[in-house]
Amino acid sequence: DAGITQSPRHKVTETGTPVTLRCHQTENHRYMYWYRQDPGHGLRLIHYSYGVKDTDKGEVSDGYSVSRSKTEDFLLTLESATSSQTSVYFCAISETTGANTEAFFGQGTRLTVV
Amino acid sequence: GQQLNQSPQSMFIQEGEDVSMNCTSSSIFNTWLWYKQDPGEGPVLLIALYKAGELTSNGRLTAQFGITRKDSFLNISASIPSDVGIYFCAGLMDTGRRALTFGSGTRLQVQP
């Protein structure tokens, strides 16, 4: 299994509070991603990173920010959590070797905003 | 943004039957990946495809990269109960945003 650890695995928080999810990798992969998974929507990209301090927005980035201060860690922050951000969040990592790219996922963080 | 249309949305089959699912897009992708997700787990990579027309197998699974680069399919032969789960296709472009675009998934149920 790829070395990806998400923390926490489960969290319940109140509306309006800040929340930070952490993704840690031991594979030294360049690319890291945050997706959210909701019924009927599949996996939707929130933000991704293509290097230390290099990030870009995905299709559902509103209300989220990210930071990557070192290769192994990619943090997702909800500045002021809302009930619509209740979801399962997945971190993924990828690397390209030659013409081949593979991407691997963490086990997910289930976030409930009450 | 890019859209991947995955079908069917769900399937209920008998053990031993073959299964086929596919993804189509209006965009060209240079990589197609197929994942399986079990309940409460993250998606696990099954097969990766890198060349148009490529046909790749992984045990009872076979996937193909469409000639037009806008589609891919996954076949599962002789299904077994542990094949139950959600299968996702994902496409990756080599230019611009280097992030996977996912289909909405095919939920597979296998009746023993």
Side-chain angles (χ1 to χ4, degrees):
Chain A
D1 290 342
I4 311 169
T5 305
Q6 289 186 231
S7 60
R9 292 293 312 278
H10 302 271
K11 185 169 182 66
V12 179
T13 191
E14 292 185 349
T15 299
T17 61
V19 177
T20 295
L21 309 182
R22 179 180 185 236
C23 179
H24 179 78
Q25 62 147 329
T26 57
E27 305 296 322
N28 200 35
H29 282 7
R30 177 182 176 187
Y31 297 93
M32 299 185 75
Y33 312 87
W34 279 106
Y35 290 87
R36 61 177 288 175
Q37 186 174 34
D38 304 290
H41 291 279
L43 288 147
R44 292 182 293 174
L45 181 67
I46 304 171
H47 282 278
Y48 75 106
S49 170
Y50 47 97
V52 173
K53 298 190 189 311
D54 293 324
T55 65
D56 200 0
K57 295 179 180 180
E59 60 186 297
V60 290
S61 59
D62 287 349
Y64 302 95
S65 62
V66 290
S67 67
R68 192 168 178 200
S69 58
K70 45 187 178 177
T71 299
E72 56 265 37
D73 289 326
F74 193 33
L75 304 180
L76 176 70
T77 298
L78 290 65
E79 301 291 347
S80 177
T82 67
S83 58
S84 65
Q85 293 176 311
T86 292
S87 186
V88 180
Y89 291 85
F90 286 100
C91 173
I93 64 173
S94 75
E95 190 57 85
T96 298
T97 305
N100 296 352
T101 298
E102 293 185 347
F104 304 96
F105 283 80
Q107 291 190 298
T109 295
R110 182 173 295 275
L111 176 67
T112 303
V113 183
V114 298
Chain B
Q2 300 118 26
Q3 294 282 333
L4 284 185
N5 299 307
Q6 186 170 350
S7 63
Q9 288 188 335
S10 63
M11 303 181 73
F12 189 96
I13 63 172
Q14 298 292 317
E15 182 177 2
E17 290 184 4
D18 297 343
V19 173
S20 184
M21 59 192 78
N22 69 84
C23 275
T24 60
S25 173
S26 58
S27 302
I28 291 175
F29 291 100
N30 292 314
T31 296
W32 284 94
L33 305 175
W34 283 93
Y35 290 85
K36 182 193 178 198
Q37 185 178 29
D38 293 324
E41 302 291 330
V44 173
L45 182 64
L46 298 173
I47 291 180
L49 302 160
Y50 302 109
K51 296 180 182 178
E54 179 180 359
L55 187 70
T56 297
S57 293
N58 178 7
R60 293 178 295 105
L61 279 61
T62 301
Q64 185 159 28
F65 192 142
I67 293 292
T68 65
R69 296 186 173 184
K70 295 183 178 181
D71 62 336
S72 177
F73 72 76
L74 175 71
N75 286 342
I76 305 173
S77 63
S79 59
I80 59 178
S82 63
D83 290 335
V84 166
I86 303 176
Y87 292 80
F88 291 97
C89 63
L92 179 68
M93 301 175 71
D94 282 346
T95 58
R97 173 173 294 168
R98 289 189 56 80
L100 292 170
T101 298
F102 281 85
S104 55
T106 295
R107 183 180 296 274
L108 178 65
Q109 295 176 279
V110 180
Q111 177 70 42

